[in-house]
Amino acid sequence: MENLDPNSSMFILVAAVAGIVLLFVFLYFVPVNLWITAQFSNVKVGIGELIGMRIRKVPPSIIVNSLITATKAGLQMTTNDLETHYMAGGNIPNVIRALISADKANINLTFKQATAIDLAGRDVFEAVQISVNPKVINTPNVAAVAADGIQLIAKARVTVRANIAQLVGGAGEETILARVGEGIVTSIGSAATHKSVLENPDKISKLVLQRGLDAGTAFEILSIDIADIDVGTNIGAKLQIDQASADLKVAEARAEERRAMAVALEQEMKARNVEMRAKVIEAEAEIPKAIAEAFRTGKLGIMDYYRMENIQSDTSMRESIANSDESKDSGKGKNEKK
């Protein structure tokens, strides 16, 4: 057997590798297996459409498999619809599952509604499931105070069903929980006593349901059941104690203010007394000067001065006798009382 030319061997190897690469490229851009699967599933998809999906960077497997599933379930849609939703960022398999579930459950859900719900960020398949099988939402502990001042802590279970028509733009579970909590607080607060609430907790459910709390939400409230009610603290008594304590502090502050004013007035009067005594002493200091001046001018004689001294001495004696008599009378009165 003759040896092959090295150049011929290299050419054959390169040609083989290039052929394999071209085959893989052809199979990538022309998914023949998907086309065959679609044909046997009675789904009309052309080779050109599959090549166009590859060029538009849309996975043909997702589109074809979803279209096959929808066709087998009796749903009518086109590859263009699925491609448009995929390129918009939607979850095509989830939408197809939701449409099939809604169709089997006799729920009116169109492809346009399903894609809008999916693009809005909600799980459309879960929404259909909640429509078929209602969901139970447990509220956190809600504390409210009855009219008699006793605190009650209630916990409710809210059974809701998805409202397909309100899933786009409707409020979520947080709004439902907030509204139910507000309704519980209102109904307990309007009760005359906490005992009436404990005796008939169903009144809370009735009052809350009458308020139409599911308006504007993505859910329809089927029932509100009070799961548990506990008695809390006596808020009314605490408020009264706090108010009494505050009133006491205010009264003490006012009394302290009056005492301070009285002390200040006392000190002021003492100062005025000292001032008046100083003026008296100052006036008394002028008397000897006046007497001396009277002697110099001849307006006062020596005999007049002696008579004035005698009168002052007599007056002082009479005052001392009167004071001693008053002290004796007061002593007798104390002895008689004993």
Side-chain angles (χ1 to χ4, degrees), residues 162-181:
N163 188 352
I164 300 296
Q166 294 288 336
L167 280 175
V168 179
E173 294 183 11
E174 293 78 7
T175 303
I176 294 289
L177 293 176
R179 291 182 180 180
V180 171

Side-chain angles (χ1 to χ4, degrees), residues 230-296:
D230 295 327
V231 179
T233 57
N234 192 338
I235 301 297
K238 284 188 174 182
L239 292 176
Q240 291 178 356
I241 293 173
D242 293 341
Q243 185 63 42
S245 177
D247 294 340
L248 177 61
K249 290 181 179 179
V250 171
E252 289 177 349
R254 290 178 178 174
E256 180 64 23
E257 181 182 0
R258 290 193 296 269
R259 188 191 68 81
M261 292 179 64
V263 171
L265 181 61
E266 180 184 4
Q267 296 298 325
E268 183 180 356
M269 296 303 296
K270 288 182 178 179
R272 292 184 63 184
N273 187 20
V274 172
E275 182 181 0
M276 297 304 294
R277 286 182 178 275
K279 290 182 179 180
V280 170
I281 293 173
E282 183 180 0
E284 289 177 350
E286 296 294 330
I287 294 175
K289 295 180 180 180
I291 294 174
E293 182 64 26
F295 275 124
R296 283 195 298 269

Side-chain angles (χ1 to χ4, degrees), residues 77-94:
M77 58 189 66
T78 64
T79 56
N80 187 40
D81 295 334
L82 299 181
E83 279 192 73
T84 302
H85 185 60
Y86 178 85
M87 294 176 71
N91 189 340
I92 292 177
N94 204 39

Side-chain angles (χ1 to χ4, degrees), residues 126-193:
E126 182 183 1
V128 173
Q129 286 182 321
I130 295 175
S131 297
V132 177
N133 186 19
K135 180 180 180 180
V136 177
I137 304 174
N138 293 319
T139 65
N141 293 332
V142 180
V145 181
D148 58 356
I150 304 299
Q151 183 189 53
L152 295 177
I153 302 173
K155 188 175 183 179
R157 291 176 180 172
V158 186
T159 305
V160 297
R161 180 172 58 195
N163 188 352
I164 300 296
Q166 294 288 336
L167 280 175
V168 179
E173 294 183 11
E174 293 78 7
T175 303
I176 294 289
L177 293 176
R179 291 182 180 180
V180 171
E182 180 184 357
I184 292 173
V185 172
T186 302
S187 58
I188 293 177
S190 60
T193 61

Side-chain angles (χ1 to χ4, degrees), residues 18-333:
I20 295 173
V21 171
L22 289 175
L23 177 63
F24 276 106
V25 171
F26 176 79
L27 292 177
Y28 175 79
F29 282 98
V30 185
V32 180
N33 58 339
L34 284 177
W35 180 78
I36 296 173
T37 304
Q39 295 302 317
F40 278 98
S41 301
N42 294 325
V43 175
K44 303 301 180 183
V45 179
I47 292 292
E49 290 180 302
L50 296 176
I51 296 174
M53 292 179 193
R54 286 295 190 190
I55 295 174
R56 290 188 291 271
K57 296 183 179 180
V58 176
S61 59
I62 295 177
I63 303 299
V64 173
N65 291 330
S66 299
L67 190 59
I68 291 173
T69 304
T71 303
K72 291 297 183 181
L75 303 178
Q76 298 298 326
M77 58 189 66
T78 64
T79 56
N80 187 40
D81 295 334
L82 299 181
E83 279 192 73
T84 302
H85 185 60
Y86 178 85
M87 294 176 71
N91 189 340
I92 292 177
N94 204 39
V95 171
I96 298 300
R97 288 198 302 269
L99 289 171
I100 295 173
S101 299
D103 182 66
K104 301 301 180 183
N106 294 324
I107 298 175
N108 186 17
L109 178 64
T110 64
F111 179 76
K112 185 177 181 180
Q113 286 179 320
T115 54
I117 294 170
D118 184 58
L119 293 177
R122 295 185 183 275
D123 193 334
V124 61
F125 181 64
E126 182 183 1
V128 173
Q129 286 182 321
I130 295 175
S131 297
V132 177
N133 186 19
K135 180 180 180 180
V136 177
I137 304 174
N138 293 319
T139 65
N141 293 332
V142 180
V145 181
D148 58 356
I150 304 299
Q151 183 189 53
L152 295 177
I153 302 173
K155 188 175 183 179
R157 291 176 180 172
V158 186
T159 305
V160 297
R161 180 172 58 195
N163 188 352
I164 300 296
Q166 294 288 336
L167 280 175
V168 179
E173 294 183 11
E174 293 78 7
T175 303
I176 294 289
L177 293 176
R179 291 182 180 180
V180 171
E182 180 184 357
I184 292 173
V185 172
T186 302
S187 58
I188 293 177
S190 60
T193 61
H194 71 286
K195 294 181 180 179
S196 62
V197 178
L198 294 175
E199 292 172 356
N200 300 298
D202 58 321
K203 290 183 179 180
I204 300 176
S205 303
K206 293 178 181 178
L207 290 174
V208 173
L209 282 173
Q210 291 174 0
R211 297 170 64 90
L213 303 180
D214 53 3
T217 65
F219 300 95
E220 177 186 354
I221 296 178
L222 301 179
S223 67
I224 299 176
D225 304 308
I226 303 301
D228 185 28
I229 297 182
D230 295 327
V231 179
T233 57
N234 192 338
I235 301 297
K238 284 188 174 182
L239 292 176
Q240 291 178 356
I241 293 173
D242 293 341
Q243 185 63 42
S245 177
D247 294 340
L248 177 61
K249 290 181 179 179
V250 171
E252 289 177 349
R254 290 178 178 174
E256 180 64 23
E257 181 182 0
R258 290 193 296 269
R259 188 191 68 81
M261 292 179 64
V263 171
L265 181 61
E266 180 184 4
Q267 296 298 325
E268 183 180 356
M269 296 303 296
K270 288 182 178 179
R272 292 184 63 184
N273 187 20
V274 172
E275 182 181 0
M276 297 304 294
R277 286 182 178 275
K279 290 182 179 180
V280 170
I281 293 173
E282 183 180 0
E284 289 177 350
E286 296 294 330
I287 294 175
K289 295 180 180 180
I291 294 174
E293 182 64 26
F295 275 124
R296 283 195 298 269
T297 58
K299 294 180 180 179
L300 181 66
I302 189 65
M303 296 305 296
D304 296 328
Y305 177 73
Y306 283 142
R307 280 195 296 269
M308 183 181 65
E309 288 290 333
N310 290 332
I311 292 172
Q312 289 180 349
S313 300
D314 184 62
T315 302
S316 298
M317 182 181 65
R318 290 177 183 274
E319 289 178 353
S320 62
I321 293 172
N323 291 332
S324 63
D325 291 339
E326 288 178 359
S327 61
K328 290 179 181 179
D329 292 337
S330 61
K332 289 181 180 179

